[in-house]
Amino acid sequence: MLKTVKVLFAFRTKFSSAAVLSATTSRKPIITCKRIQHNLFDENLPPRTDGTGGKKFGDIPLTSSGWRHRKSAGDYFIIHPVQQPFETHALSNVTFQSHGIRDELVQNLREKGVLYPTKYQAEGIPTILDGGHTLLAAETGCGKTYTYLVPILEQMLRRKLNSNERDFNTPLMLILTPGRELAQQIGRVVEGCTQGLDIKSRVLLGGKTRQQMLNPHFEDIDILISSFGVISKLVSSGIYRTDAVRWVVLDEADTLLDDSFNAKLLHLMKRFPFHKNHLQDIGDKIQGTQLILAAATMPSNMDELLSRIVNVETIEEVVSPHLHRLLSHVPQRFLRVNKSDRPNILLDLLKKEAKLNRPVIIFSNKTPTCDFISIHLNEAGVPCVNLNGDMLLKLRLGQFEKFQQGEVNILSTTDVASRGLDTTRAGHVINFDFPLYAADYIHRIGRIGRVGSRNDCLVTNMVSSQAEIGAVQRVEHAARTNNPLANVDANVKGIIRRRIQRTLEESS
């Protein structure tokens, strides 16, 4: 216990020293460390490269290079912000109307606090309005949902497509997500955007699929938002028809295209005439389908995955220059700690967050750790809600809303909450377990520093195991060389391993 106290005191002291350093020197710190010889300032930062140049791994000294030694506990480094948060066009003449979006739709956006498009939205909206297949690849939190939703709604209204002219359960637009919470969130965004526009939407969630098949719901519908598992079954059973679908959106496409969904997703996608999309404006009898993919990370084999669905040469890419780069407007702390010290360090951090009234999301790599954190904190008198993919549906639903609505300020979760969820209320992400895959790190830290987030956001990473140290070294190297993170692929091996394990459990 005494050792843990010493570690916490050292972290507090050194972080204060780093703040003083930043305020008292004319040089802008990029990385500050316990060992000052490893500090990096803006004048020493290499120019940005396209990812093919720059210094290779091992060419520069890393603070974390000595962290494999058992006596390195207490060491740390901080990656400091180097740019401003997302910019909008508030001071220019670029508006939603200037892109051809009608006033009624813009007014709905204004009521949701969306006054001007971000620079990324200003690029993506006209691309989708042109009607071609589009890949939206950008860092988390920059507003990709509005980037695809606003122009599709505008197209829907221009064509005066009326749900009364179609059979029940025959949507025009299908939005697929990998998770239930994200489907619910997008459903709320759609509902807000379509107020008074005579556009009907519905959200489908898994967990009660058999009940929905035995007692189906039939209605006029224009937009169907669904987690992937349930829609694939309800379409196959004929409860929902796809013959009128003109827009398909894969939200968090990188996750949907990995091996955990791939086979069934490809089977579903074959129902849509993507090859006729460029012909659909010739006449009413020609109905093509426009494909929109939204992702915060792009796997290296993205073209190979997409080639099974659509001609990749027909896809227009709207790629942010910040894709796969570290969250450059939020400080990120990396703490080398002993595994046994983490619970006490976490409690100390959360006591300080309580004084700041700053909501916290705590990420773990595995469900048992996520459960332990929730139990540990609640027993210590620190209210915390738990969310993971292994929870029963009746327990899982509503957990995230408790955090979002301010009933509790701490959420303990696995990567189930790292994809796509709008967590603008959160101000601090703590990685109790450091993620072993670059894609997971990008998605986790993207829960803060979003459009509409508070200005004092922070990331804290606890680093203990040898595997975690290796992952941290790749992150530090990217920061020191001013390059994107390398090998940003989904945790495919982990997903496959879990699928095999669940199959064995179900068959036993």
Side-chain angles (χ1 to χ4, degrees), residues 359-376:
V360 182
I361 301 178
I362 306 167
F363 282 103
S364 306
N365 291 343
K366 297 180 180 179
T367 295
T369 308
C370 174
D371 293 337
F372 162 76
I373 290 173
S374 178
I375 295 171
H376 173 64

Side-chain angles (χ1 to χ4, degrees), residues 103-124:
D103 291 340
E104 300 93 325
L105 183 51
V106 173
Q107 182 58 37
N108 286 342
L109 293 173
R110 288 183 177 276
E111 291 180 3
K112 294 297 180 181
V114 182
L115 305 180
Y116 299 91
T118 65
K119 288 188 175 181
Y120 184 79
Q121 290 169 342
E123 182 180 354

Side-chain angles (χ1 to χ4, degrees), residues 199-255:
I199 293 178
K200 303 176 180 66
S201 63
R202 179 172 174 80
V203 177
L204 286 179
L205 302 177
K208 298 181 179 179
T209 308
R210 184 183 297 274
Q211 180 179 338
Q212 294 182 68
M213 294 175 69
L214 294 175
N215 186 23
H217 185 81
F218 293 97
E219 63 182 340
D220 287 330
I221 186 170
D222 298 300
I223 301 174
L224 183 63
I225 309 106
S226 175
S227 54
F228 173 72
V230 62
I231 192 60
S232 62
K233 294 177 181 177
L234 295 183
V235 166
S236 298
S237 63
I239 294 173
Y240 283 91
R241 298 176 58 185
T242 61
D243 49 290
V245 172
R246 297 198 181 183
W247 296 274
V248 170
V249 177
L250 302 185
D251 202 299
E252 299 299 321
D254 54 327
T255 304

Side-chain angles (χ1 to χ4, degrees), residues 27-28 30 39-47 55 480-482:
R27 298 183 297 173
K28 186 176 181 179
I30 303 301
N39 287 352
L40 177 68
F41 295 89
D42 56 349
E43 62 187 23
N44 307 121
L45 190 67
K55 294 185 177 181
R480 288 187 179 276
T481 58
N482 199 24

